[in-house]
């Protein structure tokens, strides 16, 4: 059989066999394999993208966390400073109020004391007056017993009265 | 050593004539087609598989009989194998009642046809077994190992490296054909290297086979070529005087046919040459038998060494030629689907 002239019989069979093989493989073989490989490739790409996304989210989450902590710390210090301010203010006001109250109480006490003293003095005066009257009565009773004494008393009283009056 | 080898090489042709081995029959018998599949010869008796001869005679219609009936110049129903030196040497011919010899329509299942059937069945089984794995498993969750993994790697390699790159945009449409062509050529090349029964048929080194493959590529290129492709052939973008006398269109139309023709010749010649080289190296063992035991042993060792080397080379060529055929087919298909816009880039 000549090498370089295509034999009809073989060409016929080749066409038939290759046709059948092509049909079988093109229908049931290769598209399935390539399709599956493509699907797996898609899946892998998808997974990588997802992993990257997750990583990004994680890193942004960490950032967010750090930011939150920072924010919280600021807030904390602000609250603390505010609280101490408030405390100072309250203490200051309380002090003020206490001072005012004390002053008021002291004033009141002073007024009361003055009033008490007044009344005490008045009382003493009255007692002294009564006492003087008693004393004077006694003296007068005793002096009047003697004539000389009476006279002397009258004189002295006149003296006193005249001496007192001009003063 | 090298000089000794050179001298021996010079001696070889001298011995050829004296040798009992008919070199031409030996070579052509192995690389050519035949009506029976000769496996080996045991104790002087050839062991061969008889194959059906299917012929259609203009006078007596269809005939189908075993090739064993035609052995050793036998004839059956006036059919016989034409002797050496005849116009139809080696083919089945019909001797008409008036003594004239004609060649009938011959679609016998020859050695190459049987080899083709075996290899194709093997290919279909391999590929469908591979797809079986994908049916049973969720390919998105796990990757195959072992043989299925190897097949997947090959398929992916051909699709990604050759088809996707060379065909371009709608490669998916062509990838079944190109993958089939690749694996078909590859398995036939590989089976051709196997020296015993299911292999050993020189299938891809037969021009009828490569012609059929080249026709397939030709059809794939020209049936689905776009408008731009046909415009480039029939009315290319060249000065008008080259088109008025249709010089360029003629060249382009010839080019349409030379492309698949080169595919056909390349595959055929490479595989045929590989077979002939291996057969030649192996023949050294038998041809030097007359030169004495020492010479024969020495040369046989060299021949075996070269044989191993050639077989390794043929393994590479088996893959390479399948690769090249697929790649060039992809390139031709890609050219026929090029868009004018992409050309201006």
């Amino acid at each position: 059989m000549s090498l370089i002239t295509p034999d009809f019989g073989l060409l016929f069979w080749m066409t038939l066999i290759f046709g059948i093989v092509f049909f079988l493989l093109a229908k049931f073989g290769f598209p399935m394999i390539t399709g599956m490989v493509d699907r797996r490739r898609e899946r892998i790409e998808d997974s990588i993208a997802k992993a990257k996304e997750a990583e990004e989210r994680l890193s942004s989450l960490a950032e967010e966390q750090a930011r939150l902590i920072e924010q919280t710390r600021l807030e904390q210090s602000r609250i603390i400073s505010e609280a101490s301010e408030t405390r100072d203010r309250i203490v200051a006001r309380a002090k003020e109020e206490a001072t005012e109250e004390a002053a008021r109480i002291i004033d009141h006490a002073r007024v009361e004391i003055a009033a008490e003293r007044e009344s005490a003095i008045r009382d003493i005066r009255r007692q002294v007056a009564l006492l003087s009257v008693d004393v004077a009565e006694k003296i007068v009773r005793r002096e009047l017993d003697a004539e000389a004494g009476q006279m002397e008393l009258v004189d002295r009283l006149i003296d006193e009265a005249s001496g007192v009056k001009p003063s | 050593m090298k000089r000794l080898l050179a001298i021996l090489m010079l001696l070889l042709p001298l011995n050829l004539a004296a040798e009992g081995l008919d070199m031409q029959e030996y070579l052509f018998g192995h690389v050519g087609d035949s009506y029976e599949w000769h496996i080996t010869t045991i104790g002087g008796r050839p062991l061969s598989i008889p194959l059906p001869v299917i012929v259609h005679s203009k006078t007596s219609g269809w005939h189908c009989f075993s090739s064993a009936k035609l052995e050793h110049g036998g004839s059956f129903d006036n059919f016989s194998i034409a002797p050496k030196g005849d116009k139809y040497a080696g083919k089945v011919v019909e001797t008409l009642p008036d003594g004239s010899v004609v060649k009938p329509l011959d679609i016998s299942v020859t050695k190459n046809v049987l080899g083709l059937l075996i290899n194709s069945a093997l290919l279909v089984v391999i590929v469908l077994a591979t797809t079986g794995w994908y049916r049973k498993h969720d390919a998105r969750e796990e990757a195959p190992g072992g043989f299925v993994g190897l097949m997947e790697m090959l398929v992916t390699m051909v699709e990604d490296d050759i088809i996707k790159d060379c065909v371009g945009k709608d490669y998916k449409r062509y990838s079944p054909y190109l993958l089939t062509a690749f694996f078909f050529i590859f398995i036939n090349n590989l089976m051709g290297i196997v020296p015993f029964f299911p292999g050993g048929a020189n299938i891809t080194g037969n021009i009828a086979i490569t012609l059929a493959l080249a026709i397939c590529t030709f059809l794939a290129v020209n049936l689905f070529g776009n408008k731009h492709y046909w415009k480039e052939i029939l009315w290319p973008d060249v000065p008008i005087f080259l088109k008025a006398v249709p010089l360029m269109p003629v060249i382009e139309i010839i080019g349409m046919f030379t492309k698949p023709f080169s595919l056909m010749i390349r595959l055929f010649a490479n595989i045929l040459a590989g077979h002939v080289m291996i057969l030649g190296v192996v023949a050294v063992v038998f041809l030097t038998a007359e030169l004495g035991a020492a010479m024969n042993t020495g040369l046989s060792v060299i021949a075996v060494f070269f044989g191993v080397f050639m077989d390794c080379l043929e393994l590479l060529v088996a893959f390479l030629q399948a690769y090249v055929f697929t790649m060039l087919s992809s390139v031709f298909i890609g050219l026929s689907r090029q868009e004018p816009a992409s050309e201006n880039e």
Side-chain angles (χ1 to χ4, degrees):
Chain A
M1 289 186 182
S2 174
L3 279 180
I4 54 161
T5 48
D7 183 57
F8 173 76
L10 189 53
L11 192 60
F12 165 77
W13 284 109
M14 167 63 186
T15 312
L16 188 69
I17 293 169
F18 187 73
I20 292 167
V21 169
F22 174 54
F23 172 76
L24 285 176
L25 296 191
K27 189 136 177 71
F28 306 110
F30 294 121
M32 178 140 188
I33 297 177
T34 53
M36 283 297 190
V37 171
D38 279 353
R39 271 168 68 187
R40 187 187 311 139
R41 189 172 304 167
E42 264 166 37
R43 161 109 186 173
I44 289 170
E45 274 166 13
D46 206 40
S47 301
I48 289 174
K50 263 184 197 151
K52 198 171 276 173
E53 199 180 312
E55 205 178 326
E56 261 167 32
R57 200 180 293 163
L58 208 66
S59 74
S60 78
L61 219 63
E63 239 166 63
E64 176 82 353
Q65 198 184 14
R67 207 175 57 75
L68 269 176
I69 288 173
E70 190 60 24
Q71 203 179 9
T72 314
R73 194 165 292 149
L74 283 176
E75 187 80 352
Q76 186 191 20
S77 65
R78 194 180 62 78
I79 287 170
I80 287 173
S81 73
E82 241 177 43
S84 77
E85 218 169 84
T86 312
R87 184 199 59 196
D88 286 354
R89 211 171 53 236
I90 287 169
V91 168
R93 211 178 60 203
K95 245 181 214 166
E96 212 172 288
E97 270 174 14
T99 318
E100 266 171 30
E101 185 70 16
R104 206 173 55 77
I105 288 167
I106 289 168
D107 274 358
H108 189 73
R110 201 171 277 153
V111 169
E112 207 122 289
I113 287 167
E116 285 290 319
R117 200 177 58 188
E118 200 77 7
S119 86
I121 287 172
R122 212 179 299 138
D123 220 26
I124 291 166
R125 274 215 186 112
R126 211 181 52 228
Q127 292 289 334
V128 168
L130 284 178
L131 214 62
S132 326
V133 171
D134 272 358
V135 170
E137 200 187 81
K138 273 178 185 155
I139 292 168
V140 168
R141 203 172 286 154
R142 196 177 48 101
E143 296 258 317
L144 288 181
D145 287 348
E147 199 137 350
Q150 281 177 359
M151 283 319 292
E152 194 185 329
L153 180 69
V154 169
D155 286 344
R156 206 176 59 217
L157 286 173
I158 290 164
D159 280 352
E160 268 175 16
S162 60
V164 165
K165 252 189 181 157
S167 62
Chain B
M1 186 67 194
K2 264 185 185 165
R3 279 183 67 182
L4 187 72
L5 203 67
I7 293 164
L8 288 172
M9 288 298 182
L10 284 174
L11 283 171
L12 280 177
L14 293 176
N15 280 292
L16 269 178
E19 183 59 36
L21 183 71
D22 182 348
M23 196 64 185
Q24 193 170 0
E25 203 188 295
Y26 161 75
L27 277 183
F28 283 76
H30 277 86
V31 299
D33 208 351
S34 59
Y35 286 101
E36 83 285 319
W37 194 321
H38 177 247
I39 295 172
T40 185
T41 305
I42 299 169
R45 284 176 58 86
L47 175 64
S48 54
I49 302 171
L51 299 169
V53 174
I54 306 165
V55 286
H56 179 257
S57 161
K58 282 202 182 81
T59 51
S60 55
W62 287 102
H63 294 266
C64 179
F65 51 89
S66 166
S67 69
K69 299 207 165 80
L70 300 179
E71 265 177 50
H72 313 299
S75 86
F76 180 82
D77 280 358
N78 297 328
F79 292 104
S80 59
I81 295 175
K84 244 197 273 182
D86 193 88
K87 193 167 60 166
Y88 306 119
K91 303 267 189 196
V92 166
V93 289
E94 185 182 14
T95 313
L96 295 176
D98 61 358
S100 62
V101 173
V102 292
K103 189 176 177 300
L105 179 70
D106 183 359
I107 53 164
S108 306
V109 176
T110 58
K111 177 183 169 187
N112 279 354
V113 174
L114 182 63
L116 202 57
L117 276 168
I118 292 169
N119 297 351
S120 303
L122 195 62
L123 177 63
V124 169
V125 166
I126 285 174
V127 174
L128 292 187
T130 307
T131 45
W133 186 90
Y134 291 96
R135 269 184 233 283
K136 282 197 212 89
H137 296 73
D138 185 1
R140 284 177 303 170
E141 299 298 338
E142 50 189 325
F147 186 76
V148 179
L150 175 73
M151 284 299 291
E152 188 191 299
M153 188 204 79
L154 279 173
V155 170
T156 316
M157 184 208 74
V158 173
E159 168 138 308
D160 287 355
D161 291 359
I162 306 176
I163 301 171
K164 211 178 270 182
D165 288 352
C166 298
V167 176
K169 203 165 75 265
D170 45 2
Y171 70 93
K172 282 237 183 287
R173 215 171 131 192
Y174 296 97
S175 91
Y177 164 65
L178 292 166
L179 281 166
T180 307
F182 176 84
F183 282 97
F184 187 85
I185 295 169
F186 190 38
I187 197 160
N188 280 309
N189 285 352
L190 284 180
M191 290 298 278
I193 303 173
V194 176
F196 38 81
F197 165 61
N202 180 29
I203 293 169
T204 36
N206 190 298
I207 200 150
I209 306 293
T210 59
L211 174 66
L213 287 168
I215 288 172
C216 289
T217 296
F218 178 81
L219 293 177
V221 169
N222 290 290
L223 286 186
F224 305 111
N226 61 7
K227 218 161 67 183
H228 179 67
Y229 168 73
W230 289 109
K231 185 189 161 285
E232 281 293 302
I233 287 177
L234 300 173
W235 201 249
D237 210 6
V238 290
I240 193 77
F241 65 91
L242 285 171
K243 292 187 278 193
V245 182
L247 186 62
M248 283 302 286
V250 165
I251 290 173
E252 290 282 357
I253 285 168
I254 292 170
M256 269 169 64
F257 294 97
T258 52
K259 282 172 188 170
F261 186 77
S262 73
L263 282 180
M264 171 179 85
I265 295 297
R266 182 179 297 106
L267 182 58
F268 157 71
N270 270 290
I271 303 305
L272 180 66
H275 278 252
V276 169
M277 294 266 276
I278 291 175
L279 289 168
V281 168
V282 173
V284 168
V285 177
F286 307 106
L287 291 175
T288 55
E290 285 192 343
L291 297 176
M295 199 64 103
N296 190 15
T297 310
L299 279 173
S300 295
V301 168
I302 294 168
V304 167
F305 173 75
F306 270 105
V308 170
F309 174 73
M310 287 306 302
D311 268 335
C312 293
L313 193 67
E314 281 309 297
L315 278 177
L316 178 68
V317 169
F319 176 78
L320 212 61
Q321 286 306 318
Y323 192 92
V324 165
F325 188 96
T326 314
M327 190 173 73
L328 288 176
S329 295
S330 307
V331 168
F332 297 153
I333 290 171
L335 285 175
S336 78
R337 303 204 52 86
Q338 211 169 31
E339 296 294 329
S342 65
E343 212 179 40
N344 297 336
E345 274 171 11

